[in-house]
Each structure stands twice: as structure tokens, then as C-alpha cells.
Amino acid sequence: MRVTMIGGGYVGLVSGACFAEFGMEVTIVEADERKLGALREGRIPIFEPGLDRLVSENVAAGRLSFTGDMDEGLADAEVVFIAVGTPTRRGDGHADLTYVYQAAQQVARKLKNYAVIVTKSTVPVGTGRRVAEIVRETRPDLDFDVASNPEFLREGNAIGDFMRPDRVVIGVESDRAADILRSLYRPLFLIETPIIVTSIETAELTKYAANSFLAMKVTFINEVADLCERVGADVHDVARGMGLDGRIGRKFLHPGPGFGGSCFPKDTLAMARIGQDAGAPQRLVETVVTVNDARKSTMARRVILACGGSVRGKRIAVWGLTFKPETDDMRDAPSIPIVSRLVEDGAELHVFDPEGMEQARPHLPPQVIYTTDPIEAATGADALVIVTEWNLFRAVAPARLKALMRGSVIVDLRNIFDPAAIRAAGFAYHAIGRALPPVEEAARRGAA
Ligand code: NAD
């Protein structure tokens, strides 16, 4: 089957390469010349484990190609996926559908024969219908169907998620489109992946509901973590005690500095707006947005308090900048407000991230000093802040860290260290959702 993917970003590139791995003939149309140039030269413009190999093997096998030309990309396409960005629209929190509608129009102009036009981008309810209208207005003669096939992959584990998904959701209006999409996903029948075939509206909403629920779970445990700190409980034990209940589940119960990334912030905001517009306010989701925004902006304050009430003139090391490990994505990363506030308050920031340094630069103040590894970042630092839980940080021995830092404050926003071991090495260790030892708590209260 001939598949065209409009957009070669995280979702388009991963799903295009995976469909090629399923045996389909896939062409990815990418508008950004820089990205396209890299892809054509065999370079992967994003960091995603395993993607370089998957792409190069499928290109070599002749099943995967890249173009910037819609004519070439759409020749004989049977299924066209729209996988372009749907960022938050400036000013009102709605999803910006400019790229989706532009792509729909371009596809309509160039298609020669019947095809299913599928939105893979995360889009508000009603977008599929609007895409159908655009295609009909642009090409009244064209025989086509529209469909919705939201993507649930996670950056950092995207290939595994695509190849072994918990489910595939397909929103269609015709049996013909349903059959084509089912046959596209046939390789997943072997592993008994549930395929949910539903209306277009239901598929569109399912994606927002799923992401908003996960964001709510994260926000819930973050607030429980705050409570744990006040009452002397340990959030990890609470999360384990809760999560082992099959009705709750253990995933997404890890406390931290607030969720970020390319999806949760914009999708929760869009879900809240969809609810308001439809006259069915999503009050829980609205609260999640507010609580999470507030949390991200108060994380720097934790660091300031841990440093005795001021960071002016202090040297602070930051480990991890991306919104989570195993990605280079900096969109809405909690590191951005944290680093910016600490710089504003007069600290000297020495930062390190294994994959996101280049991506971080446009988001962070120019005074930030970029280092080549976690050791260099921490050397001579008064305080160390752990913002993203990359595995290599766990490997640094507390005693070694103590010897190279000037000060002894660690603010661990991901709880990567064993509190007993790190305190035994002489650190004043501040974790999330874990009570401070009484003496340090008294000092913290004094600074506040
Ligand atoms: P992205 O910004 O990484 O990629 C989008 C790509 O589309 C860009 O490379 C852009 O140049 C290209 N593009 C835009 N208009 C085009 C056009 N007319 N023709 C050709 N190329 C065009 O975005 P992403 O992270 O891949 O997200 C895409 C969609 O998938 C969003 O709606 C997002 O919410 C959703 N999604 C993302 C993830 C994720 O983890 N990133 C997961 C699930 C769903």
C-alpha cells in the first residue's frame, strides 16, 4: 500500500518509518528545507532511540523516501496522513489548525485518485469534518474519505509504542476507509492489538481525553507530593500503595517539577477550550492547567529557599534540560522557567543535557553556560539542581560529587538519588514529596 505522510516531525517521521517497516511504501513530505535536507542525507533531525537505524534500513530497502514536493509525494497515494504540528494558538489556548488546513488544501489540489485523508495530528473535535469540507471545496471532483487516527506514541519510546501499541483508534465515516486503515495496521493483528473503530468525532476526542487524564494523574501526584512534604510522608510509598491497585495503575504517578513537552500542556489547554466552547466545561482539566503552570513557576523558588533565600552570585549546576529523558524536545520544558528565574535572580548557571543542549539555547537566557558533561557542570557549584532524570546522572557517585562541588545543596526535582546515601555524603538534599530531616526543615522554614 502506498502511504504519504505530510510532515516529517516526531510523529510523521516515526510513524512513516514504522509503516515502512510494516512493508508499506511510504513517502514523507516535509516542508522545512533544513529538515528535508538532513533526512535526504541520511541524518535524523531529532533524537529518538532506534530511529536512525529504522529509517536507514527502510530507505535502503526502497520503502521509505522523503520529498518537499507534494506532486511527487502524492503520486498514487492510497492513504495520506496529516502529521503536522497543532501548537497552542496565541492568545486563546485553542489548537492552531493553520498547518492542518493548509496541508488539507495542498493534498486536495494534488491528489489524482481516491485516497483516505487521515488526521494523525492531535486535533479538536470537528477538525476532520472541516478537513472534508476543505477538500470538497478545493476539489469538487475528487473521490475521497476523511478519517481520524490519533497517535499515542511517547517521545523516547516512540518506536516501541508505535510497533506495540496498547490500542489503535480509527475514526471513519465509510466502510471503505475503515477497511483500508485496518489493512494498514494488519501487522498489529498478529500481536492482538485492539483496534477501535469509531466515529471521527469520538476518535478526535479520545486523544484529548487520554492525554488530559494522564496530565491529571501527574498533577494529582505532584500535589500529593507537596502534602507529603508537609506531613512527613514519602510520596513514592504513597504512589506505590495507590498504584498497585489495578483500578489506578502505577504509571504516571512519579512526582516532579510539573509536566511539560510538546503534548500535555497544549492538549490540556485545548481540551479545556473545547469543553468551554461546547458548553460542557472540563473543570478538572482547567484546574490541571492552572495547577501545573503554577507548579512550574514555583520550582525555582524551591532552589532559592534551599540556597538560604538568595542565589545572587551563586554558581548553580543544572542537570537535564529536556522535558523528559530520551528526547531532545525542549517544548514547554520545566527547565525553562527554572533556569530563567535563577538567572534573573543573579545566579550563574552551568547546565548540561545529554541531547537537548542545542535545542535549549533559544529557550534559555544568553548568560547560561553550557558544559560538556554532568561533572563539568557540577564542578565548583554551590548547588546542583536535577531537572530531568537522565540515567547517566544516577551513575555519579555521591562522594565524587561532594568532592567536586563547592557547596553542598542538591535540589532533586526527579528524586533520582537515595536520600540516605546522598545525605551520608554530606549533602543538604531536597527531594520532591519527601520530608526534610528536622534540622534542615527548620532552616528551610527560616529562609522562607
Ligand atoms: P513537529 O513540529 O515535530 O512536526 C511537524 C512537521 O510538519 C514539521 O517538521 C513541519 O515542518 C511539517 N509541516 C508542517 N506543515 C507542512 C506541510 N504543509 N507540508 C509538509 N510538512 C509540513 O510536530 P510533532 O511533534 O510531530 O506533532 C505533530 C502532531 O502530532 C501534533 O498534533 C501533536 O500534538 C501530535 N502528537 C505528537 C506527539 C509527540 O510526542 N510529539 C505524540 C502524539 C501526537
Side-chain angles (χ1 to χ4, degrees):
M1 191 177 300
R2 292 183 68 91
V3 175
T4 303
M5 190 67 64
I6 311 295
Y10 276 89
V11 166
L13 189 54
V14 171
S15 24
C18 289
F19 280 133
E21 183 72 10
F22 286 172
M24 313 296 159
E25 261 181 78
V26 181
T27 307
I28 296 182
V29 182
E30 173 52 57
D32 181 326
E33 305 242 328
R34 210 174 40 86
K35 270 190 201 174
L36 179 64
L39 289 167
R40 285 182 145 166
E41 285 165 19
R43 286 181 289 115
I44 305 295
I46 53 170
F47 173 74
E48 180 61 45
L51 188 58
D52 44 0
R53 193 189 54 79
L54 192 72
V55 168
S56 64
E57 283 177 4
N58 281 285
V59 168
R63 289 189 299 262
L64 180 62
S65 60
F66 306 98
T67 181
D69 175 29
M70 283 275 175
D71 268 322
E72 187 188 327
L74 288 165
D76 305 323
E78 294 165 85
V79 186
V80 182
F81 283 97
I82 298 180
V84 300
T86 50
T88 299
R89 194 161 71 193
R90 267 177 202 278
D92 63 7
H94 279 284
D96 183 347
L97 297 171
T98 314
Y99 303 111
V100 173
Y101 294 153
Q102 236 167 32
Q105 209 167 45
Q106 290 168 329
V107 168
R109 281 199 201 106
K110 302 292 182 186
L111 269 179
K112 293 195 174 66
N113 301 309
Y114 171 87
V116 191
I117 302 168
V118 193
T119 41
K120 202 165 228 337
S121 301
T122 302
V123 293
V125 181
T127 306
R129 267 187 213 288
R130 182 68 199 122
V131 166
E133 279 167 20
I134 290 171
V135 176
R136 217 170 289 121
E137 285 158 13
T138 315
R139 278 286 300 284
D141 61 302
L142 188 71
D143 186 17
F144 71 97
D145 274 307
V146 291
S148 163
N149 173 219
E151 184 49 59
F152 296 97
L153 61 77
R154 289 164 298 172
E155 288 175 17
N157 195 37
I159 295 170
D161 286 347
F162 195 94
M163 297 290 213
R164 292 176 296 282
D166 293 333
R167 78 311 206 182
V168 171
V169 176
I170 292 171
V172 281
E173 287 189 310
S174 80
D175 291 344
R176 188 177 183 187
D179 289 346
I180 290 174
L181 288 175
R182 270 206 199 90
S183 65
L184 193 60
Y185 281 107
R186 181 142 303 135
L188 298 183
F189 292 177
L190 293 175
I191 52 168
E192 297 180 1
T193 304
I195 310 252
I196 301 170
V197 179
T198 175
S199 72
I200 292 177
E201 285 74 10
T202 304
E204 288 170 340
L205 189 55
T206 304
K207 172 66 188 176
Y208 280 112
N211 268 8
S212 297
F213 189 84
L214 292 174
M216 186 171 71
K217 228 174 151 185
V218 172
T219 306
F220 181 85
I221 204 66
N222 281 343
E223 285 208 309
V224 171
D226 290 347
L227 184 56
C228 286
E229 289 166 21
R230 294 301 162 108
V231 301
D234 185 311
V235 70
H236 290 282
D237 292 338
V238 174
R240 196 168 139 75
M242 284 172 63
L244 284 170
D245 183 329
R247 294 169 301 178
I248 296 173
R250 294 178 65 175
K251 292 184 177 159
F252 284 75
L253 286 180
H254 302 285
F259 59 76
S262 64
C263 291
F264 284 6
K266 81 173 174 58
D267 292 349
T268 44
L269 208 52
M271 173 97 174
R273 292 291 176 267
I274 294 167
Q276 285 157 8
D277 286 358
Q282 301 296 295
R283 284 180 291 261
L284 285 176
V285 181
E286 287 172 15
T287 304
V288 164
V289 172
T290 314
V291 170
N292 190 64
D293 283 351
R295 184 173 188 82
K296 282 204 277 192
S297 60
T298 56
M299 284 298 120
R301 177 109 192 102
R302 279 183 182 246
V303 180
I304 294 165
L305 287 179
C307 290
S310 168
V311 290
R312 187 153 300 282
K314 295 212 164 114
R315 181 163 164 172
I316 297 182
V318 171
W319 283 0
L321 297 170
T322 51
F323 84 96
K324 66 173 183 180
E326 302 302 326
T327 180
D328 57 359
D329 203 332
M330 278 297 294
R331 289 178 276 188
D332 267 318
S335 64
I336 301 168
I338 296 171
V339 169
S340 303
R341 169 72 197 275
L342 295 176
V343 168
E344 217 173 88
D345 276 29
E348 186 182 291
L349 272 281
H350 292 239
V351 306
F352 173 73
D353 188 279
E355 295 294 337
M357 300 281 263
E358 278 317 303
Q359 287 74 1
R361 279 178 199 271
H363 297 276
L364 301 181
Q367 300 91 321
V368 167
I369 296 161
Y370 295 85
T371 62
T372 53
D373 59 49
I375 299 302
E376 187 192 335
T379 302
D382 296 299
L384 165 65
V385 186
I386 294 139
V387 183
T388 318
E389 67 279 30
W390 287 90
N391 268 337
L392 85 164
F393 301 152
R394 296 176 210 272
V396 180
R400 181 168 184 220
L401 196 54
K402 188 71 182 64
L404 54 92
M405 279 176 62
R406 182 164 67 192
S408 56
V409 172
I410 294 185
V411 182
D412 183 354
L413 302 178
R414 301 290 186 171
N415 294 358
I416 67 166
F417 285 121
D418 169 21
I422 201 90
R423 287 194 177 114
F427 282 105
Y429 177 66
H430 304 253
I432 295 271
R434 287 174 155 161
L436 278 176
V439 178
E440 288 171 25
E441 175 57 20
R444 192 191 70 88
R445 281 177 196 268

